Amino acid sequence: MLDWLYDIVGRILVWIHTGLTFIGFDTDSGWAWGLSIVLLTVLMRLLMVPLFVKQMNTQRKMQDIQPKIMKLRERYKHDKERLQRESMKLYQESGTNPIMGCLPLLLQMPVFFSLFSVLRSVAEGNARYGFDEELVESARAALIFEAPIAAQFNSSPEELLELGASDPIMAKVIIAIACVLMGTTTFLTMRQSIKRSISQMPDNPMMQTQKIMMYMAPLFGLFGLMMPVGVLVYWVTSNVWTMGQQHFLYRNQPVAGAAQTKNEGNGSAKGMLSRKKVAETTPEPKEQPKIERKQPKKQSRAKRTGGGSR
């Protein structure tokens, strides 16, 4: 059913590989095929940058209307249908579409499954999805640090040798390391996103669920044991790109509350500096000479009354 999509992804991969071999890479090398997958991932992510920016704007708008949503939940807590209608009305009035928050991830999945299907077809020796017989044999022979690009961790030693691995044990070690990298980068990417979400909406009722998913992210590495090495390269590259992209955009679009606090802090610091500067430039008042007034000496009572001697 999705053969047309698999064919598009396969042909783009072949075009990138052809371009790399044209500039001097060895046709059958793992560098040529591995870099082709990396560039395919980068190309796909570049096309999705506008969607990611729109996702961030959607999250900011949802943060702004969160107090209104909470009021609606409190007002219509016993009327679910009315709550849904009023919430959708509020989203429409504010120009917010909650689906945009998930759209970049949803659009990545078809490319992921397409690449998985293309590499599985290559591992089986099928000339499909833009690959001819020569390209299939070239991709099957490509090694990334002794691991065939179309091999999986559960591949038998005979299959690994057939795919071109010189040392099946080392090939499995390389695949296991790639799976660990996959789980680690997935965890770091989700942690970065959830920290941003917490700063935006501390009272988000889904926060606990998101944290559970974040701590389960390293388990994604176990799924990598069933994926071809090329798919693992795609996944790790995509995660690294996401971390860099989120860091750049989050830094240039800080959370509203954090930005306000920072501005207030800067304002307070500037105020303190200005007051200090005024205090330094204001001349100290000169000390006025002390005026001493001479008081008459106090006489004894006998002298004042004149009865000192009789």
Side-chain angles (χ1 to χ4, degrees):
M1 184 175 65
L2 293 177
D3 284 357
W4 62 273
L5 184 58
Y6 302 160
D7 191 68
I8 292 175
V9 172
R11 290 184 181 280
I12 293 175
L13 184 63
V14 169
W15 292 338
I16 295 175
H17 176 263
T18 302
L20 290 175
T21 55
F22 178 77
I23 62 177
F25 282 86
D26 184 8
T27 304
D28 301 330
S29 68
W31 286 105
W33 284 105
L35 192 56
S36 297
I37 295 174
V38 171
L39 292 178
L40 171 66
T41 309
V42 171
L43 176 62
M44 185 269 295
R45 296 308 304 269
L46 281 173
L47 294 175
M48 291 175 58
V49 167
L51 290 176
F52 189 84
V53 174
K54 197 167 184 178
Q55 177 192 23
M56 289 188 59
N57 293 333
T58 299
Q59 291 174 346
R60 184 178 290 272
K61 289 180 180 180
M62 291 187 68
Q63 177 191 3
D64 295 337
I65 66 174
Q66 189 65 19
K68 297 180 180 180
I69 293 292
M70 297 301 294
K71 290 181 180 179
L72 289 177
R73 288 175 180 172
E74 182 65 25
R75 182 181 300 176
Y76 303 113
K77 58 183 177 181
H78 300 299
D79 190 348
K80 300 295 183 182
E81 293 183 3
R82 182 70 182 276
L83 174 61
Q84 186 176 3
R85 287 200 306 270
E86 294 296 329
S87 298
M88 293 304 299
K89 182 179 178 182
L90 183 60
Y91 286 139
Q92 291 175 358
E93 292 175 352
S94 61
T96 305
N97 187 357
I99 300 178
M100 281 302 304
C102 306
L103 189 58
L105 179 61
L106 294 177
L107 290 180
Q108 289 183 62
M109 299 312 293
V111 179
F112 167 77
F113 287 117
S114 298
L115 184 60
F116 179 86
S117 299
V118 170
L119 292 177
R120 184 175 59 183
S121 176
V122 168
E124 294 172 354
N126 298 323
R128 301 174 61 190
Y129 311 129
F131 283 75
D132 55 22
E133 295 289 344
E134 184 179 355
L135 286 174
V136 168
E137 292 303 319
S138 174
R140 282 168 59 88
L143 300 177
I144 298 179
F145 299 112
E146 297 299 325
I149 199 171
Q152 303 177 15
F153 186 83
N154 56 2
S155 299
S156 65
E158 292 77 14
E159 291 174 338
L160 292 173
L161 290 172
E162 183 183 353
L163 289 172
S166 58
D167 188 347
I169 296 178
M170 182 57 65
K172 285 184 178 290
V173 171
I174 296 298
I175 297 173
I177 293 174
C179 292
V180 172
L181 289 175
M182 172 185 169
T184 303
T185 53
T186 302
F187 169 78
L188 294 176
T189 303
M190 294 183 67
R191 180 174 177 268
Q192 186 183 37
S193 178
I194 289 175
K195 285 180 66 177
R196 168 81 173 195
S197 180
I198 290 175
S199 61
Q200 285 182 322
M201 292 186 292
D203 55 348
N204 186 356
M206 298 297 294
M207 191 57 60
Q208 192 63 31
T209 304
Q210 292 178 0
K211 286 183 178 180
I212 293 174
M213 292 180 62
M214 178 184 70
Y215 289 115
M216 291 180 62
L219 297 178
F220 278 92
L222 298 177
F223 293 101
L225 299 176
M226 300 177 289
M227 298 177 186
V229 174
V231 177
L232 296 177
V233 172
Y234 162 80
W235 193 297
V236 173
T237 303
S238 182
N239 285 342
V240 173
W241 177 278
T242 300
M243 284 190 288
Q245 178 178 266
Q246 288 181 162
H247 175 75
F248 176 78
L249 293 177
Y250 289 169
R251 185 183 61 183
N252 289 283
Q253 295 188 13
V255 180
Q260 183 177 359
T261 303
K262 183 177 180 181
N263 291 334
E264 290 176 355
N266 292 338
S268 301
K270 290 179 181 178
M272 292 177 65
L273 289 174
S274 62
R275 287 195 295 270
K276 184 177 180 181
K277 188 175 181 180
V278 170
E280 290 177 351
T281 55
T282 303
E284 296 183 359
K286 294 182 178 180
E287 187 177 354
Q288 299 295 331
K290 217 173 192 182
I291 301 176
E292 296 183 359
R293 294 183 181 179
K294 295 184 178 182
Q295 300 290 341
K297 293 183 179 180
K298 190 175 181 182
Q299 298 179 350
S300 64
R301 184 175 181 183
K303 290 182 178 181
R304 288 200 307 269
T305 57
S309 60
R310 290 186 182 181

